[in-house]
Structures are given as C-alpha cells and as structure tokens.
Amino acid sequence: MSSPLKILVFSHRPEVRERILTAVGRRPAADLGRVTYHESATISDVLMEMDAGNVDLAILDGEAQPTGGIGLCRQLKNEIDDCPPIVIAIRRRDDRWLATWSQADAVLVHPLDPLAAAETVAEVLRNKQLPVVQG
C-alpha cells in the first residue's frame, strides 16, 4: 500500500484551515485513499515544506495576512521546479481571475461546498499522478 498523499493547508486563521480540512475530508475520493494534512500558519513554514518536496498538493488561503495565498502561489510556481499542484481558496467568485494569474491549478470559493471541494482536490491529485508519456 502506498503512503497517504500529503496536503499542505495554509492560512493565518485556524478556523479557515479547519473549514478547508472539513470540506475536503480525509478521503476526497475512493480511488485516492486517505490523505494527511500539514497545517501552516506562516509563509516560512509553507516555503520550508514546499522546498523539502514533502507536499503532494497545497491549498492556500487567498485572503491570508500579511501575504495572501494568491501572491504566494505565483511565487511558488515561478521558483520551484516541478512545483506541486496548488489550489487557491477565495472569498469572492470575482477573484477567480487573480487565481488564474497566480497559476493556481484550481480554485475553491467560500463558503466551501464539501462535495465540490473534495472533487476539485481529487481531480487535481489525479492529474498530478498521471504518468508522463514518452514520445
């Protein structure tokens, strides 16, 4: 049996991290198995985990303070070779364009719908695990 996939959840607010964990759940899809979470409240912790290659997927709070997940996502996508997929959680649907600018792999909109959140995360994880086809 393979080890569980690790999801990093970043927000400076513990209640936002909890809402994300609750919405996505411990098993976002039957074919993926259980996931484990690493909660981060600081940018330095996110950078350390991402640089170490310990993350299969990151969910970043677009409203985090003092540095939001949208800008952090863009930084990570531009600075880390083979950056793991990143999902941005935003409060306003109108901010989807910012998530696109940040190079996010997917977007969740508060209030989080548990079915949509779990399916979005599962889809991104499945896409990450697709084998590279040699031409």
Side-chain angles (χ1 to χ4, degrees), residues 46-91:
V46 171
L47 296 174
M48 187 174 65
E49 287 295 312
M50 295 291 275
D51 284 341
N54 296 333
V55 176
D56 293 298
L57 177 136
I59 303 174
L60 308 178
D61 176 10
E63 312 294 324
Q65 298 293 325
T67 302
I70 293 172
L72 179 58
C73 177
R74 187 167 174 95
Q75 176 185 345
L76 293 168
K77 289 290 189 172
N78 287 319
E79 292 180 3
I80 296 176
D81 292 331
D82 201 26
C83 184
I86 298 175
V87 176
I88 301 288
I90 57 174
R91 296 227 174 272

Side-chain angles (χ1 to χ4, degrees), residues 98-111:
L98 285 168
T100 301
W101 168 84
S102 75
Q103 304 170 27
D105 296 275
V107 179
L108 300 175
V109 180
H110 291 282

Side-chain angles (χ1 to χ4, degrees), residues 116-135:
E119 181 53 39
T120 298
V121 167
E123 186 176 315
V124 172
L125 284 168
R126 283 186 202 109
N127 288 339
K128 174 192 184 292
Q129 293 181 321
L130 291 175
V132 175
V133 178
Q134 297 295 322

Side-chain angles (χ1 to χ4, degrees), residues 4-66:
L5 296 168
K6 184 173 180 181
I7 298 176
L8 180 143
V9 177
F10 164 69
S11 177
H12 73 290
R13 296 173 48 200
E15 65 273 16
V16 172
R17 294 193 307 269
E18 183 60 34
R19 278 188 228 124
I20 292 169
L21 269 61
T22 301
V24 175
R26 295 287 176 193
R27 191 172 182 150
D31 62 312
L32 295 174
R34 294 179 69 80
V35 298
T36 60
Y37 290 99
H38 177 87
E39 294 185 52
S40 294
T42 65
I43 299 294
S44 60
D45 188 41
V46 171
L47 296 174
M48 187 174 65
E49 287 295 312
M50 295 291 275
D51 284 341
N54 296 333
V55 176
D56 293 298
L57 177 136
I59 303 174
L60 308 178
D61 176 10
E63 312 294 324
Q65 298 293 325

